[in-house]
Amino acid sequence: MRVTVSGIGYVGLVTGVALSYIGHTVTCVDINEEKINMLKNGISPIYEPGLEELMSKVRNKINFTTDYKSAYSTSDVIIIGVGTPEREDGSANLDYVNSVCEQIAESLRKNCIVVLKSTVPIGTNDEIERKLNNEVKTSIKVYVVSNPEFLSQGTAIHDTLFASRIIVGTDDKYAASVMHKLYEPLTKEPYNVPYLLTSRKSAEMIKYASNDFLALKISYINEIANLCKSLGANIEEVSKGMGLDSRIGNSFLKAGIGYGGSCFPKDTKALHWLSTINRIELKTIKACIEVNETQKLILFNQLKKDLVDLHGKTIAVLGLTFKPNTDDLRDAPSIINIVNLLNSGANVKAYDPVGINNFKKIIKKIDMNNCYNLEFYESIDDAIKDTDAVMIMTEWPNIVNYDVAKYKKLMKVPRVYDGRNCYKLESMKDIIYFSIGR
Ligand code: UGA
């Protein structure tokens, strides 16, 4: 099948590479020439473990171009994977989706299936199908199918090939049969991915409801963790005990300093916005968002309580990305914490194995006048040397496996605020140690 994937971010690129791996001929289109040139040279513009290796395996079945006209005009299936970032009011911004649809409308020369993988408000697929069919020649028919994505950054290849499920939203028999053909290899050995056909609106809702449920689980466990701490229980034992109940499940019960990334913060706000304008406010999601905002500051507030005045203090921040195995910093808890530290007069020494360049871009946009108090380090030893406290934001393996004796050896005072519960309590006995829910 000839497939074009539009938008070369995490979703688009991984989808394109995975589809070519299972046998389709794929063209990836993006307006960003620099990205396309990197991809042509076998270099991934995003940090995703295993992606470049898979790209090299499929290089004869995939090509990258900015020439959207010829790509769209010859495709059987066009997959849209562009971003839908949040607007200030929390709603999803569909500008990228709309501009790709305009390009598709002007390029199509034959009937085509347009698959929307981007996360969009309920009803968007209907609207796009109506618009596209109005704009193309009357002899051409466009079928729009909702096909939400469930991959996580850092494990994106595995999450696509061995997906938890493939959701295909369409009421049209022809579109359903083409979609089945597209994904058939993944429904068989060795992948055996469950395949569910739904209406378009249900498929759109499955995406939001799934992401928001996971976010809710995190906010819930974070609140339980805070209560555990004040009552003397241990959240790790509690999560383990809860997770043994298969009705609850053991994933997404890891307490920490709150969720970040490009999905949960945006999708909780978008669903809350959508519910509010439909006058059925989702109170659980509202609470989930509020809990997360407070949780992000739990280390900072404790540090301030302990040290009273942060002015002139030197604080190391270990881990900048919103989670390990990605260079993505969107909505990462590290940002607000570093901004608060700098605004309180502290000097910050920041460490991350891959996220420093992206962090520099973000902090530049914030345009703070005390940025000169922020320095970046490529080694944990150098970052924590002579500091008054360490704050851990991301559970990168080299932070988790760090020799904790060095906190005592290298810091001015061994004082560690661990937002990801990286260490066993027994190993931190000689260190002033604050962790989550323990
Ligand atoms: C999330 C979903 O997990 C994917 O299924 C979905 O496809 C994706 O969003 C998307 O909509 O594109 P992702 O944002 O890559 O994936 O990352 P997650 O692994 O879900 O983590 C999100 C945040 O939750 C991270 O900040 C992580 O540290 C935090 N988290 C996760 C916890 O605090 N505790 C947990 O137990 C799990």
Side-chain angles (χ1 to χ4, degrees), residues 10-11 48 117 119 148-156 159 164-165 207 210-211 214-215 217-219 221-222 239 250-267 292 321-324 326 328 330-333 393-395 419-420:
Y10 285 95
V11 172
E48 182 59 43
K117 263 199 176 293
T119 304
E149 180 53 59
F150 301 103
L151 63 81
S152 295
Q153 288 172 220
T155 51
D159 294 351
S164 55
R165 71 285 208 195
K207 173 65 188 182
S210 301
N211 266 8
L214 294 174
K217 231 176 151 183
I218 298 170
S219 279
I221 207 66
N222 283 338
S239 292
N250 60 11
S251 59
F252 284 73
L253 288 181
K254 197 166 185 316
I257 36 157
Y259 59 78
S262 64
C263 307
F264 291 172
K266 142 180 107 64
D267 293 346
N292 199 57
T321 55
F322 82 95
K323 67 174 191 177
T326 178
D328 199 333
R330 284 175 284 180
D331 263 305
M393 297 285 158
T394 320
E395 67 277 34
R420 299 291 179 186

Side-chain angles (χ1 to χ4, degrees), residues 5-9 13 27-45 55 62-68:
V5 181
S6 160
I8 306 306
L13 182 55
T27 302
C28 291
V29 178
D30 202 286
I31 47 170
N32 186 325
E33 226 164 283
E34 198 187 327
K35 269 191 189 177
I36 292 295
N37 286 336
M38 285 173 80
L39 287 160
K40 280 183 174 163
N41 291 317
I43 302 163
S44 166
M55 276 166 57
I62 193 163
N63 77 78
F64 302 96
T65 181
T66 52
D67 176 8
Y68 64 83

